[in-house]
Amino acid sequence: SIPIAEYATPSTSELPAAVRKYVKAHDGMLLANHGALTLGADLFAAYYKLETIEHFAKISLVARMLGRENLIAREEVDRLQGLRTNYGIKAPAPIG
């Protein structure tokens, strides 16, 4: 899941406060009225996470333009979460 942090004025203490709510559980988020923010062990990791967010956004937009997004059942989401360790992904993805 990709949370949306509340709008905050740039270059004020409001912005890090809005981000702080999500940083421990998410490595990517949208900043309301600003854009995307990603975190990673290095610049390339953060960049690839940003590319993933943008790719998902395009898929979601096209699906909506074609009529609807086809959401999968919660049971299938749980099953997919369980498979993450098979792919070398340690932490489960946060589900919003």
Side-chain angles (χ1 to χ4, degrees):
S1 69
I2 302 170
I4 301 175
E6 294 178 20
Y7 174 79
T9 306
S11 73
T12 67
S13 61
E14 297 168 359
L15 192 55
V19 169
R20 190 172 295 118
K21 296 176 184 177
Y22 301 104
V23 166
K24 288 185 179 181
H26 297 84
D27 54 10
M29 66 193 75
L30 298 177
L31 305 177
N33 300 88
H34 292 294
L37 170 71
T38 57
L39 309 165
D42 57 40
L43 182 60
F44 287 111
Y47 172 77
Y48 290 128
K49 289 173 187 173
L50 182 63
E51 287 290 312
T52 300
I53 289 173
E54 289 184 0
H55 182 68
F56 175 77
K58 288 177 187 175
I59 290 171
S60 181
L61 175 64
V62 170
R64 290 175 186 194
M65 290 171 60
L66 292 173
R68 67 181 175 92
E69 292 177 287
N70 186 17
L71 301 178
I72 59 176
R74 179 58 188 230
E75 294 78 24
E76 181 63 11
V77 172
D78 293 339
R79 183 172 167 233
L80 290 168
Q81 287 281 39
L83 293 172
R84 289 172 63 87
T85 55
N86 294 346
Y87 304 115
I89 302 170
K90 296 180 183 177
I95 299 173

